Amino acid sequence: MQTTHEMVVNLGPQHPSTHGVMKLEVVMDGEYIVDCKPVIGQLHRGMEKMAEGMLYGQFIPITDRLDYLSPACNNLSYCLAVEKLLGIEAPERGKYIRVIIAEMQRIANHLVALGSWGLDLGAWTILLYTFRDREMLLDLFEMFCGQRMTLNCFRVGGTTYDLPDGFVEKAREFLEVIPSRINDYEALLTKNPIWMTRLRDVGVVSAEDALAYGLTGPNLRASGVKWDLRKVYPYEVYDRMQFDVPVGSRGDCLDRYYVRIQEMRQSCRIVQQALDQLPPGDIMVDMPTIALPNKEEFPNNFPEVVRHFHLLVQGYAPPEGEVYLGYENPKGELGFYLVSDGSGYPYRLKIRSPSFINMQIFPKIMRGAMLADVIAILASFDPVLGEIDR
Amino acid sequence: MWLYQFFYQPGEWARGIYQVMENWAVRIGMGIQWIQLIDMIIVAIILIAFIFLDVMFLTWLERKVAGHIQVRHGPMRTGPHGIIQPVADAIKLLFKEPMALPGVDNLIYLISPLMMFVGAMLIYIVIPFSPGWVVAPMDYGLLFAFAASGLSSFFVMAGGWSSNNKWSLLGGMRAAAMTLSYEVPLILAAIGVALVSGGLSLVGIVESQAGMWNIIRQPLAAVLFLVASLAEMNRGPFDLAEAEQELVAGYLTEYSGMRFAMYYLGEYTHLLAGAALFTTLFLGGWQGPLLPPILWFLIKIHVMVFVYMWIRWTYPRIRIDHLMAFNWKFVLPLALINLGVTGLVLVL
């Protein structure tokens, strides 16, 4: 007798819309999902182990490769954790520059998230629009630190570079343009019945579930939990900024979309305020044991040359102890757990990456959804495989 | 004079040429059936050449339209504004190795792309390009057009089924489900037009639109036909059978080289045929002032093709159950209402 039976499909790793090399083992009954098992590890680079053989400062470029769509935020989180371990704080101007760049990075990240989400649902055009606007941000980053993707722009104790001439003006230009562009996206998507029906009541995560599974970032706030580390435990200069924390109510894909759109607008507000308040002064903490010497002066100054060599070879040794600090990344709470044994190398580094923890809930919410929903839900969580596999 | 007749009295012109050939055949003592056969072959070659050239142009147009909608240029390097890009594509596809997975249903796998293309081309047989320029002026042309169009969708399913790939299978099944459900409102919308025009002959339908196009007499039917034809042609936002982001490439996943190209050509042939059908049914076919009828017809079908492309590059893809619900709960009742109202008005 012929019967129907369930079909196992490997969604990925070579699939156009798994946002990298993720594999979802999907059991399907027709178009419906019976079971879903995420299989990860194909981008594993052993970052946590690598950190144990690196000076504290040497690990900063590796954090760029965590969530490669928001490298500045990763840099910031890591630098703040090491600074806490060392017991130092960046100077005022350095803090402002960090906040400006990190919030711009948040906008850039959400632009990519939105664009690739649109692409995954078949709205190709939105991808090109968001990338056009992200280009302006990348130009600003290039102006600031010479890199567009892997910025590597913050240091323990401050930033690498001061804002170059003309940066503030260009940033203001961007801030004038972007709100109307966000309105354009809303005109293309929010007012589009197909987009709305594709997202409404799809992948619903209740507030309890969101907390139980440890979701963070926009995905948590979309479920109605008002939890933003920038507000709850203000770091850097966020306590001086006026901004709202957008929250959703139903916890479906549509709420996650709204939250991201609103967060872009709020980030614009923060950048605006930070640019207004930007104080003059140092960008790097004034401590010879941590800050590198000035590159223009030191070749003619022998003690400085020795100090430079010393810093690059031995680094700085924080006191013995351990620290865990999590900060609000575009994708959620990126935490670094650092154990110091008093040497220049961390004894242990553990990365709590938001995409990895957010992904836990996939099997639960994918069950009963349709194949097309799997793509929508996956994109709505905005995972980045560099961060999931580390 | 000859040129004037070609453009403005194409029927007489064609009949004149046929007459000349017939006289010549009689003079050299050739049977009349042979000259008719030669005639048919010539017409077929002209028609296929037109379809191929236009479809090549459409692949270029699609890239340019998509590019300009998406704030980029599209192809620019191959010739002025990338106009010979289709040639480059064709050469690339010709040199690709046609591969097949083990375990494919070989015969169906091989003939499906061809048959899909043929099915789409059959529609052109009944399309009146100009007064007197129609390959087969059938009395039941509309019915034939839908039959041919449905046939090409069938081979999408066959190709997906025979590829021995799960994604292809899903794509093929989606194509079948979509064709089954959207064929109904498509035909119902067209029947409204047939009622108004008083016949299923496409030539008759075009001639009945002199003075007033059917898009004014049957606006609802026109909208429904547009929507249903999008689904029938597997084009965005209803391109579920291909659905790159969901099904990798749907029914096309395992096709490569010229077989892939045949599917691709078939899809664009179908697109052009859909635009031609819409033009014939609702935009008055070759009717129009001043310009020659053939130009009017070409302008109208390319405007329609542009509209189809515009829709594709603006909307996200719809989900399969929404698609079905939209059809059975919205499009079909409206089509029935349209048909009923049209009938009532005609009776009264």
Side-chain angles (χ1 to χ4, degrees), chain A residues 79 83 89-91 94 98 153-160 283-285:
Chain A
C79 290
E83 281 169 18
E89 250 186 76
R98 284 176 174 191
C153 57
F154 301 145
R155 294 287 172 270
V156 175
T159 70
T160 327
I283 52 160
M284 196 68 189
V285 66

Side-chain angles (χ1 to χ4, degrees), chain A residues 271-299:
Chain A
V271 177
Q272 186 79 55
Q273 293 171 45
L275 286 174
D276 290 342
Q277 298 172 12
L278 190 65
D282 286 337
I283 52 160
M284 196 68 189
V285 66
D286 189 19
M287 286 174 78
T289 52
I290 287 164
L292 285 175
N294 190 332
K295 286 260 161 89
E296 273 103 47
E297 289 172 13
F298 88 95

Side-chain angles (χ1 to χ4, degrees), chain A residues 192-205:
Chain A
N192 187 326
I194 299 181
W195 177 263
M196 300 299 268
T197 47
R198 281 295 301 269
L199 298 189
R200 186 174 285 133
D201 297 327
V202 169
V204 180
V205 181

Side-chain angles (χ1 to χ4, degrees), chain B residues 138-280:
Chain B
M138 298 182 195
D139 289 341
Y140 41 84
L142 195 56
L143 196 63
F144 179 84
F146 288 132
S149 166
L151 194 67
S152 79
S153 304
F154 171 75
F155 283 101
V156 169
M157 193 196 84
W161 175 269
S162 63
S163 294
N164 190 23
N165 179 312
K166 288 167 181 171
W167 299 119
S168 305
L169 178 65
L170 277 170
M173 288 298 144
R174 281 181 173 190
M178 259 163 61
T179 310
L180 280 181
S181 42
Y182 272 86
E183 201 94 313
V184 181
L186 189 73
I187 294 175
L188 284 180
I191 287 179
V193 174
L195 278 180
V196 171
S197 309
L200 286 173
S201 158
L202 287 178
V203 181
I205 287 174
V206 171
E207 275 164 2
S208 77
Q209 294 180 63
M212 191 190 275
W213 295 353
N214 273 338
I215 196 164
I216 299 164
R217 284 191 281 193
Q218 291 272 318
L220 183 61
V223 174
L224 295 177
F225 189 88
L226 186 70
V227 172
S229 63
L230 278 174
E232 172 84 9
M233 295 184 303
N234 272 332
R235 272 190 81 76
F238 304 122
D239 55 344
L240 290 163
E242 206 181 317
E244 188 190 322
Q245 289 81 15
E246 292 156 27
L247 302 182
V248 188
Y251 65 96
L252 285 169
T253 308
E254 291 302 334
Y255 280 95
S256 58
M258 269 328 271
R259 293 173 199 158
F260 170 80
M262 286 316 272
Y263 260 132
Y264 213 70
L265 283 177
E267 225 165 75
Y268 279 95
T269 312
H270 209 159
L271 167 70
L272 193 66
L277 260 184
F278 189 91
T279 306
T280 309

Side-chain angles (χ1 to χ4, degrees), chain A residues 69-185:
Chain A
L69 295 175
S70 44
C73 299
N74 302 339
N75 292 166
L76 180 60
S77 296
Y78 178 72
C79 290
L80 283 169
V82 179
E83 281 169 18
K84 184 82 177 173
L85 203 57
L86 286 163
I88 59 169
E89 250 186 76
E92 282 291 282
R93 189 178 170 82
K95 284 183 179 175
Y96 272 98
I97 292 176
R98 284 176 174 191
V99 166
I100 291 169
I101 300 295
E103 288 305 314
M104 282 181 168
Q105 189 73 73
R106 190 182 305 275
I107 301 175
N109 175 75
H110 284 352
L111 283 176
V112 177
L114 187 62
S116 53
W117 195 351
L119 179 68
D120 285 353
L121 296 198
W124 293 71
T125 306
I126 192 78
L127 176 83
L128 277 296
Y129 282 19
T130 55
F131 270 60
R132 170 193 63 187
D133 299 340
R134 179 168 171 262
E135 196 65 23
M136 297 167 73
L137 281 170
L138 296 188
D139 285 346
L140 282 168
F141 294 150
E142 191 178 0
M143 219 174 146
F144 171 58
C145 63
Q147 286 285 358
R148 294 162 70 81
M149 280 285 281
T150 49
L151 299 185
N152 185 21
C153 57
F154 301 145
R155 294 287 172 270
V156 175
T159 70
T160 327
Y161 309 102
D162 201 346
L163 294 182
D165 294 340
F167 182 91
V168 177
E169 290 73 35
K170 268 194 89 176
R172 283 193 201 281
E173 254 170 55
F174 170 77
L175 290 174
E176 268 170 34
V177 173
I178 193 72
S180 66
R181 295 279 167 82
I182 297 175
N183 290 343
D184 282 356
Y185 308 148

